[in-house]
Amino acid sequence: MTENTQQTPASNPELPTQYAPAEVEGKLYERWVERGYFEADATSDKPPFTVVIPPPNVTGSLHLGHAFEHTLIDALTRRKRMQGYETLWQPGMDHAGIATQNVVERELAKEGKSRHDLGREAFIDRVWQWKGESGGQISGQMKRLGDGVAWSRERFTMDEGLSQAVQTIFKKLYDDELIYRAERIINWCPRCLTAISDIEVEYQDDDGELVSIRYGEGEDSIVVATTRAETMLGDTAVAVHPEDDRYKHLVGKEIELPLTGRRIPVVADEHVDPEFGTGAVKVTPAHDPNDFEIGQRHGLPSLAVMDEHAIITAHGPFQGLDRLEARSAIVGALRADGRIVAEKRPYVHSVGHCSRCKTTIEPRLSMQWWVKVGPLAKAAGDAVRDGQVKIHPQEMEKRYFDWVDNLHDWCISRQLWWGHRIPVWYGPDGEIVCVGPDEQPPSGEGWTQETDVLDTWFSSGLWPFSTLGWPEQTESLAKFYPNSVLVTGYDILFFWVARMMMFGLYAMDGTPPFHTIALHGMVRDQFGKKMSKSFGNAVNPLDWMDKYGSDALRFTLARGANPGVDVPIGEDWVQGSRNFANKIWNATRFALMNGATIEGELPDPSQMSATDRWILSKLNKTVAEVDAFYDDFQFSKLSEALFHFAWDEVFDWYVELSKTTFFAGGEQAKVSGRVLGEVLDVMLRLLHPVVPFVTETLWTTLTGRESVVIADWPKDSGFRDADAEQEIELVQQVVTEVRRFRSDQGLQPGQKVPAELTLTGTALAPHEAAIRQLLRLQPAGDGFHATASLPVAGATVALDLSGTIDVEAERKRLTKDLGAAEKEKSQANAKLGNEAFLAKAPDNVVDKIRTRLVKADADIARITAQLANLPQN
C-alpha cells in the first residue's frame, strides 16, 4: 500500500525473501502423507466426515475439470479435519471398460495384432500389464495439486473386493427379479462394437438428407419420409394414426415395399403424429426403438439388415455395403425407379454419437441384460423429495426429478472383454444360472459363462459403500457410510449420481449413499467457451502449476466456483492468484520481522489501540462469514471474503496503519505485534483449505507448531467493536479521499507534500502520524501556503501544492462531480415527493432512496467546500 519498507531487526530469519512454490510443494506433500494426516481411523470416536472422489478413469490424466473438483473437495475435507472430524476422502480409479479396452487395442494394432489374436485371458492380462505400467498417472498429478486423500485406502473398480461387491449386488438384483435378459433395441457403437447406455450417447446436429419415398401403387400408395433410407430394407410395415381419414382405406391392406419384392401391411397406431410430414411412417422394428414398440403392439417381425460393423447384410445388390454407402446407393436406386417424391439436403437433424469415439450410433435389436429401474428410481426420487438427501443448489432438483422419474430400464451388458464379467452361466438345455461370490458355478459339458461384461457405471454406482468393504459389515462401513456430501459436476448427475442413489438405497436397507449432493459447473475458458483440444483452448493444469504454483491454480478455481454454475478461467487470473500468494508471503514475512507473534495471551482490549480492536472485530466477522459460506458450498464467496480480508484489511490497512507503532517500539508495539500475530494465525488457518502449501510454510514459521493441516479451525470469539470500526472507517475515508485528490493532480505516490491536518475534536486525532505516513504528508513549515483544503470525515487536510497542482483541472473535476451530486439529489427528491410512488414502493426501496438523498447532500457540501478552497487565479 505504501513504499515505506523500513524494518526492525529480523527475528524470524527462516523465511526466504521470495516464495518459490516448486521448492516447497512436493516436500510438504510428502511430509503430510508420511505423517498420516490424511488417513482415517474407523475406530475413532470423532464424528465422521466422508467424501468419495469421483473415480477418474485409469486411462485419464489430470485436466482442469479434475483440478477444479478436487480443489473444492480438498477444501471441504481440510476444513472438516481441522474442525475435529474423522475425515475420509476416499480415493480410487475406475477401470473405464470401453476407454481402456480401446487404448490397449490401439497398442496391439501397432504390433499388427488384435485382441482376438491373443484370446480373452491373454488380452485381459495385457490390460492389467498396461494398467501397471501406464495407467493411473493421475494419482501423481493429484499429489501435485495437494489432494488430501487417504492413500492407504485407494481402490480400483476391478480389484478383488469391489469385484465381490459387484457379483453380490448382481445376484441380489437377479434374485429379486430386478435384472433380466431380453431382446430390445439398444444403442450400438459400430466402432467400439458394444452396446452403450442412453446417457453415453451425445446428440449433435448433423447435415443429412430427408427423402420422401412412395410405397405401393396408385390409390394404394403412401409416401413416407426418412433420413435413413438404408433401413427401409428392414421395414415390416407402414404406420398411420387411427383417426387419419387420409389413410383409413389402407389400414389392414398390404402394399409393396420398393426394391425388395416384399409386401408389408399398413397398421394404425396412436404413436404416429398425423400432423408431422405426410402422417405416415415406415416401421423398422429391428433398427429403431419407437418402431420396435409399434412392432410389439402389432406382432410385426423384426428384420435385422446390418451387422455389428453397420454393414448391410440384407440379400440383394446392397449386401456388403457400409450403411452410409448403402444410403446413397438405395436413394439412387429409388430415384431410378421413380420412387423419390422429394429430397431435401442438407437436412440438419439431431444424430446420436458414441460419447467415447464419436461414431454415429446405430439402434440395433439385440439380446442384452437389463436392470428394471422402476422401483429403484422411485426410491431415488423419494429420498430427495422427503429430505433424506439434499441437492445443492436446490434449483437442480428439477433436473434430477426429470431424469429419475422418467428412467427407462438400463442396459447393463457390454460386448467387451475388459470389465466385470456377468456372473451368469448357460446350460446345454437352455438353463440360466446366476452365481453369487461364494457359490460354485455349474460345471460339466455344455455349460458356458456369459461373455459380456457389465457397464462401467454398474460398478462405479457401488462406490460409496463397496470402497468401505461391503458386502462385509466392516468397521469402515459402519463409521463412514453414508457419505457426508457428494461433490460432483451437474453433467454426471444422470450418469453416476442417480445410479449411486439407486444402488445405495437398495443395498444399504434404504439408507442413501450421501446426505448432500453439491453440484458444480464446468470449467470453461475466459470467454465462457467449452475447453477442447479441437478448439485450441484446452489447458494442461500441470503447466499452470509449474508456472505459478498449485496454490495459485487452486485459488483461481475456488474463486470462480459458484454452485451449479460454469467457471470461466484464464491464465491472467492464475497469475493474479500467484500475486496473491506472493502478497501473503511478503506481508507475513514483513510482519514477522516487525514483531508479529503468538506468544502469550492476547492483550485485554483496553490495552489495544483502535486499530488493533478494529482488525480483531473484522477478523471475527470474517470467521463467521467464511463458516457460513462453507456450509452453503459458496466457494467463490468465501474465497472473495478471504482475499479482501487478507489483502485489503490486513495488509493494505492494518499493517500500514500500525507501522508507526512498530517503528516507535515500546509497549504499544508489543501489543500490536501480538494482535498482528493473532490475525495472521487465524487468517492463515482460514486460508489453508484453499491454498494449503503457502499457508503451511507461513503458519509453521509463525507458530513453531507441527502443521496447519492438523491445527484447530478458527472459531468466532464473538468480539466486535463497532466504535473502533467506525473510527478506522473515518481514517480510511481521509486517506482514500486525499489519495484520490493527489492522483487527480498527477502527483506521484511517493511525492511528499507539506500539509496541515485539523483533527482536533475528532476520532482521527490519535491517527495523525499514520495518516501522514500513508499520505506522504510533511509538516507545514515556514512559508506554508494552503493551496487546497479538503474537508473530509469531520477533519480538514490543507495542502500546499504550489507548483504541483493544476487548479483549472481540479476546478473542472469538482464542478463535474458537483453536477452529478445535484442530479442525484434532484432525482431522489422527485421520487420521495411522488405520493403514488411512495404508496406502491416497498419500504426497503424507499429507504434506499432516502439514503441516496442523504449521501447526495453530504457530497454537495463536501464538493462545494473543496471548490471554495481552491486557489483563485
Side-chain angles (χ1 to χ4, degrees):
M1 184 171 180
T2 97
E3 291 68 38
N4 193 328
T5 57
Q6 180 180 352
Q7 297 175 347
T8 56
S11 58
N12 286 280
E14 298 93 336
L15 286 177
T17 55
Q18 291 184 329
Y19 177 50
E23 295 178 12
V24 301
E25 290 179 349
K27 295 175 184 177
L28 286 181
Y29 191 86
E30 288 177 11
R31 186 188 309 159
W32 293 335
V33 173
E34 288 170 2
R35 294 179 178 178
Y37 293 156
F38 305 140
E39 296 303 323
D41 182 2
T43 65
S44 166
D45 58 3
K46 296 178 182 178
F49 182 81
T50 316
V51 183
V52 294
I53 186 174
N57 288 353
V58 67
T59 59
S61 59
L62 192 76
H63 57 63
L64 270 179
H66 288 129
F68 172 55
E69 186 168 79
H70 290 201
T71 294
L72 304 188
I73 300 174
D74 196 41
L76 287 177
T77 54
R78 284 179 183 269
R79 172 177 176 253
K80 285 296 182 181
R81 189 179 295 113
M82 295 171 75
Q83 287 181 315
Y85 286 78
E86 193 62 38
T87 302
L88 169 60
W89 184 10
Q90 173 66 54
M93 283 183 293
D94 190 279
H95 65 278
I98 296 176
T100 305
Q101 180 157 320
N102 283 346
V103 168
V104 178
E105 286 195 86
R106 284 197 296 269
E107 292 297 312
L108 284 174
K110 294 176 184 177
E111 304 170 14
K113 298 178 182 177
S114 74
R115 60 181 163 122
H116 300 285
D117 294 324
L118 272 65
R120 185 173 191 133
E121 296 305 318
F123 176 76
I124 292 173
D125 288 343
R126 180 69 177 259
V127 178
W128 279 107
Q129 178 186 340
W130 174 86
K131 177 189 179 292
E133 295 173 355
S134 307
Q137 62 175 312
I138 199 169
S139 296
Q141 296 164 347
M142 287 166 58
K143 295 174 182 177
R144 281 286 314 276
L145 190 64
D147 286 4
V149 299
W151 286 111
S152 69
R153 292 172 172 267
E154 186 175 13
R155 303 303 297 268
F156 179 53
T157 51
M158 286 285 286
D159 68 28
E160 184 176 349
L162 270 63
S163 295
Q164 183 183 25
V166 168
Q167 196 170 352
T168 298
I169 201 164
F170 186 98
K171 171 70 172 173
K172 179 175 171 60
L173 288 162
Y174 182 85
D175 290 346
D176 288 344
E177 298 183 349
L178 293 173
I179 282 184
Y180 64 94
R181 188 171 183 246
E183 191 175 44
R184 298 271 188 86
I185 293 286
I186 48 90
N187 302 302
W188 181 264
C189 176
R191 160 63 182 80
C192 298
L193 297 180
T194 181
I196 60 176
S197 65
D198 291 342
I199 54 177
E200 293 170 300
V201 178
E202 294 179 348
Y203 287 91
Q204 67 184 47
D205 287 341
D206 287 356
D207 286 343
E209 61 179 344
L210 181 69
V211 293
S212 297
I213 309 168
R214 178 172 54 82
Y215 288 14
E217 302 291 344
E219 293 184 358
D220 289 346
S221 67
I222 195 166
V223 175
V224 299
T226 182
T227 58
R228 304 177 67 229
E230 69 277 10
T231 63
M232 69 163 290
L233 300 176
D235 286 359
T236 55
V238 171
V240 298
H241 193 275
E243 303 301 322
D244 194 334
D245 291 336
R246 293 171 295 177
Y247 303 119
K248 279 188 176 181
H249 69 289
L250 287 176
V251 174
K253 290 186 177 181
E254 289 188 343
I255 58 175
E256 182 183 346
L257 177 65
L259 305 182
T260 66
R262 287 193 290 114
R263 296 185 67 80
I264 58 176
V266 177
V267 299
D269 195 281
E270 291 188 353
H271 169 75
V272 180
D273 180 1
E275 303 298 323
F276 182 76
T278 64
V281 297
K282 57 192 287 298
V283 182
T284 320
H287 293 280
D288 184 275
N290 293 321
D291 292 3
F292 177 78
E293 297 297 332
I294 294 174
Q296 292 291 295
R297 288 193 289 271
H298 296 278
L300 301 173
S302 296
L303 300 180
V305 296
M306 280 181 251
D307 66 12
E308 65 270 23
H309 298 280
I311 302 298
I312 301 298
T313 57
H315 292 297
F318 312 109
Q319 186 175 7
L321 295 179
D322 171 82
R323 56 183 166 168
L324 298 182
E325 295 172 332
R327 181 177 302 171
S328 178
I330 288 171
V331 170
L334 289 167
R335 188 183 299 113
D337 201 25
R339 294 284 177 176
I340 299 296
V341 175
E343 296 180 70
K344 183 178 181 180
R345 65 169 66 89
Y347 177 73
V348 179
H349 61 130
S350 181
V351 178
H353 296 259
C354 174
S355 61
R356 290 176 177 82
C357 71
K358 311 308 176 186
T359 300
T360 301
I361 61 102
E362 188 64 45
R364 186 168 187 252
L365 185 63
S366 179
M367 184 68 75
Q368 301 285 344
W369 285 92
W370 305 79
V371 171
K372 187 184 295 183
V373 299
L376 302 175
K378 182 181 184 303
D382 290 346
V384 174
R385 287 189 171 94
D386 64 20
Q388 285 189 81
V389 179
K390 297 186 183 304
I391 293 180
H392 191 280
Q394 191 174 4
E395 54 264 28
M396 286 287 182
E397 283 186 2
K398 183 180 184 302
R399 295 182 65 175
Y400 176 77
F401 292 136
D402 286 346
W403 181 256
V404 298
D405 293 346
N406 297 286
L407 270 180
H408 300 295
D409 284 359
W410 173 19
C411 177
I412 56 172
S413 46
R414 299 292 180 267
Q415 290 64 55
L416 305 171
W417 287 355
W418 173 244
H420 294 282
R421 194 166 176 180
I422 291 176
V424 168
W425 271 255
Y426 303 112
D429 298 317
E431 303 97 329
I432 299 179
V433 176
C434 180
V435 177
D438 300 321
E439 300 172 351
Q440 287 295 321
S443 58
E445 187 176 349
W447 283 94
T448 58
Q449 185 179 357
E450 169 65 69
T451 57
D452 288 354
V453 300
L454 288 164
D455 178 10
T456 297
W457 296 104
F458 190 95
S459 52
S460 58
L462 314 180
W463 193 248
F465 52 93
S466 63
T467 52
L468 299 173
W470 187 90
E472 301 300 323
Q473 298 304 307
T474 63
E475 287 182 326
S476 290
L477 188 64
K479 178 74 174 181
F480 296 114
Y481 187 91
N483 284 201
S484 306
V485 62
L486 174 73
V487 179
T488 191
Y490 63 69
D491 59 322
I492 57 172
L493 182 61
F494 317 130
F495 283 86
W496 190 44
V497 179
R499 281 154 171 67
M500 286 190 291
M501 286 286 283
M502 290 191 295
F503 282 165
L505 289 159
Y506 174 75
M508 300 301 293
D509 300 319
T511 302
F514 18 73
H515 297 302
T516 302
I517 301 168
L519 298 171
H520 59 72
M522 305 295 101
V523 177
R524 296 181 177 272
D525 72 12
Q526 65 205 70
F527 306 108
K529 190 175 182 180
K530 181 179 178 181
M531 285 192 172
S532 167
K533 289 181 180 178
S534 61
F535 295 155
N537 62 350
V539 173
N540 183 345
L542 295 175
D543 293 340
W544 281 353
M545 286 192 280
D546 288 342
K547 194 170 182 179
Y548 303 112
S550 298
D551 284 333
L553 176 63
R554 288 172 61 116
F555 191 74
T556 304
L557 292 166
R559 201 173 178 186
N562 290 299
V565 178
D566 288 347
V567 182
I569 184 173
E571 185 169 1
D572 288 350
W573 304 342
V574 185
Q575 185 174 354
S577 294
R578 189 272 311 274
N579 296 342
F580 178 51
N582 288 342
K583 180 75 171 182
I584 299 170
W585 180 273
N586 294 332
T588 303
R589 183 173 178 272
F590 172 83
L592 288 170
M593 297 175 69
N594 285 274
T597 178
I598 64 163
E599 294 178 8
E601 293 294 322
L602 198 63
D604 187 83
S606 62
Q607 299 177 272
M608 298 179 189
S609 67
T611 309
D612 293 334
R613 298 194 306 276
W614 164 75
I615 197 61
L616 289 176
S617 185
K618 287 287 190 179
L619 174 68
N620 281 284
K621 283 185 176 180
T622 301
V623 172
E625 191 175 33
V626 168
D627 272 333
F629 287 144
Y630 261 117
D631 292 341
D632 198 35
F633 306 102
Q634 297 280 357
F635 295 97
S636 177
K637 291 182 179 178
L638 71 89
S639 299
E640 283 294 314
L642 288 169
F643 174 86
H644 290 295
F645 175 73
W647 194 304
D648 300 345
E649 292 172 335
V650 177
F651 303 142
D652 276 4
W653 284 109
Y654 179 72
V655 169
E656 297 297 331
L657 287 170
S658 301
K659 277 183 177 179
T660 54
T661 301
F662 291 137
F663 300 158
E667 287 303 312
Q668 193 57 53
K670 292 180 181 178
V671 170
S672 293
R674 179 64 187 87
V675 169
L676 180 53
E678 182 76 9
V679 171
L680 290 176
D681 171 23
V682 174
M683 183 194 75
L684 291 170
R685 283 185 282 151
L686 288 174
L687 280 164
H688 172 73
V690 181
V691 284
F693 295 106
V694 67
T695 51
E696 171 81 338
T697 305
L698 295 174
W699 189 84
T700 52
T701 302
L702 170 69
T703 66
R705 295 172 186 164
E706 182 180 342
S707 174
V708 70
V709 177
I710 53 173
D712 291 335
W713 181 252
K715 293 181 180 178
D716 176 9
S717 71
F719 178 80
R720 302 288 190 276
D721 193 323
D723 291 340
E725 288 192 37
Q726 187 175 14
E727 184 172 323
I728 300 306
E729 284 173 9
L730 293 176
V731 175
Q732 292 173 325
Q733 285 181 37
V734 172
V735 172
T736 301
E737 184 65 26
V738 176
R739 277 183 173 159
R740 187 167 76 100
F741 177 80
R742 289 176 56 113
S743 176
D744 289 343
Q745 298 310 305
L747 297 178
Q748 295 300 312
Q751 188 173 348
K752 295 181 179 180
V753 177
E756 284 183 347
L757 274 62
T758 306
L759 309 177
T760 307
T762 72
L764 294 167
H767 305 282
E768 178 169 354
I771 291 172
R772 283 188 175 277
Q773 178 179 311
L774 290 171
L775 292 173
R776 302 296 186 269
L777 301 180
Q778 293 178 318
D782 294 340
F784 175 82
H785 173 64
T787 59
S789 183
L790 306 177
V792 58
T796 302
V797 179
L799 305 171
D800 184 353
L801 301 176
S802 303
T804 64
I805 182 172
D806 184 340
V807 175
E808 197 56 38
E810 178 62 8
R811 181 173 284 109
K812 286 181 179 179
R813 182 186 72 81
L814 290 172
T815 302
K816 181 179 178 181
D817 289 351
L818 181 62
E822 288 172 339
K823 181 179 179 181
E824 176 75 1
K825 178 178 179 178
S826 176
Q827 291 174 342
N829 275 327
K831 287 187 176 180
L832 294 175
N834 185 334
E835 294 297 332
F837 170 78
L838 294 176
K840 295 179 180 178
D843 291 344
N844 65 316
V845 173
V846 176
D847 289 342
K848 284 182 180 178
I849 294 172
R850 287 181 176 139
T851 301
R852 284 167 49 193
L853 179 60
V854 171
K855 183 179 184 300
D857 279 331
D859 287 344
I860 289 169
R862 172 179 57 81
I863 297 168
T864 301
Q866 288 176 297
L867 280 168
N869 285 313
L870 281 178
Q872 299 300 313
N873 292 335

